[in-house]
Amino acid sequence: MPLTPPAEPDPEPKMNWASFYAVISGVNRHSTGIGRIWLSVLFIFRILVLVVAAESVWGDEKSGFTCNTQQPGCNSVCYDHFFPISHIRLWALQLILVSTPALLVAMHVAHRRHVDKRLYKLSGRSNPKDLEQIKTQKMKITGALWWTYVISLLFRIIFEVTFMYVFYMIYPGYKMIRLVKCDSYPCPNTVDCFVSRPTEKTVFTVFMLAVSGVCILLNIAEVVFLLGKACSKHLHNAGDSTMGAWIQQKLSSF
Amino acid sequence: MSWPALYTQLVGANRHATSLGKIWLSVLFIFRVMVLVVAAESVWGDEQSDFTCNTLQPGCENVCYDQFFPVSHIRLWCLQLVFVSTPTLLVAMYVAYRNHRDKRKLLQVAGFLSAKGQDEELETLKKRRLPIAGALWWTYACSLVFRLLFEAGFMYALYVVYDGFQMPRLVQCDQWPCPNLVDCFISRPTEKTIFTVFMATTSSICMVLNVAELVYLVIKLIDRVEKKLIKTLSF
């Protein structure tokens, strides 16, 4: 999936998301069509938007957080009280954790390839052409790979939902307030503190949550699709063989 | 030289690693280096500029910051990641040495082959995957032990320097030139605590993976020695 990131003044963090993309998109070859759509949505509407837009909105979150007091330290303490962890960091962690189950599939595919290579060598077909073919051949999502794939999808859904829940727990309502009232030490009495860019932050929060919801739906659709495919395959096979033979076939495909 | 360059070096050396070693490398780069660069560095970015003390005395903030933060978490983690990655290069060096030695042997023995035949043999030599036995086993096991020592050492150092993994909101400082005892406030202490705990957890996971890999290597060795004994005894 070709993706050219726009030019950025600071190459270091972008390099890491780009190399992360290279690692994750390698798994793409063994995904279903819905899986590829999910990956594109993840990279274009979440990671790219995070890096290109959201990070600059939250960039001045601490320096722009002003409290109506001259008491030193009150700003820091109130900021820490109302923002235990920044939205940007939560989203970065969410994106990293949500992408990693795909690596389970990559590991399984590598393992299968290794086993196939060994079988080829044992059966005498060890010329470089055959071994190259194993590397480039697309694995079918059947047997144990089907289970690995479905488990990775379930983990993805669990991580997404967990992060959305954590988000809701820390920042109830998804809306960024303009004004917070703070009375932690060393603030004298109750002090008004103003959050920087609350409306822009609300817009991006709602956008990121909406895309997160879309990704959850895509993952659920992919699980349903895989289940449907597996069921239809077994029904088709059960049509012309007995139950025992069906079980035997299922076992032999693992 | 940057993190991606280190990654390329390690991936090359990783060809001779076990599956656990490959998992360890992924955990290292995705959950530690990536999180460090993408998230943690921006949390600690304003650690000194936003370190505020309740005083107008010039120099007091600098001195207090220096007293409570001798080495920043970010620098400790960068050093930890660099040190923990380098034992793998021991293995890469040994493999390079073996390849060089075998290449010399091959060139001596296969002098009768055509230039093309020789090139093909050299290519297979470069691309082959050495089994983890003999001296390579010892090199690999040593590299695992060093990795464990570095991980544990750095985690202990972080724990000792910062009195645990929690970042306090307020520290009290009375270094010269601060007048009497002064309250100093640390920026984003909760977020820093969360990331410190996260990095400590991933460090522990990496240590567990290394221990598991070591146990696996020992079991493989015992297995091989047993097979050899059975073979010699059956003759």
Side-chain angles (χ1 to χ4, degrees), chain B residues 21-40:
Chain B
K22 293 178 184 162
I23 295 173
W24 170 85
L25 189 73
S26 308
V27 168
L28 186 85
F29 270 88
I30 296 175
F31 292 103
R32 294 174 75 181
V33 176
M34 256 213 92
V35 167
L36 184 81
V37 172
V38 158

Side-chain angles (χ1 to χ4, degrees), chain A residues 62 73 80 84 86 89 185-186, chain B residues 30 50 169 183 185 189-191:
Chain A
K62 181 130 200 302
D80 184 63
S86 168
R89 256 74 68 183
Y185 176 83
Chain B
I30 296 175
D50 265 357
R169 258 185 196 179
D183 285 340
F185 301 91
T190 314
E191 209 167 354

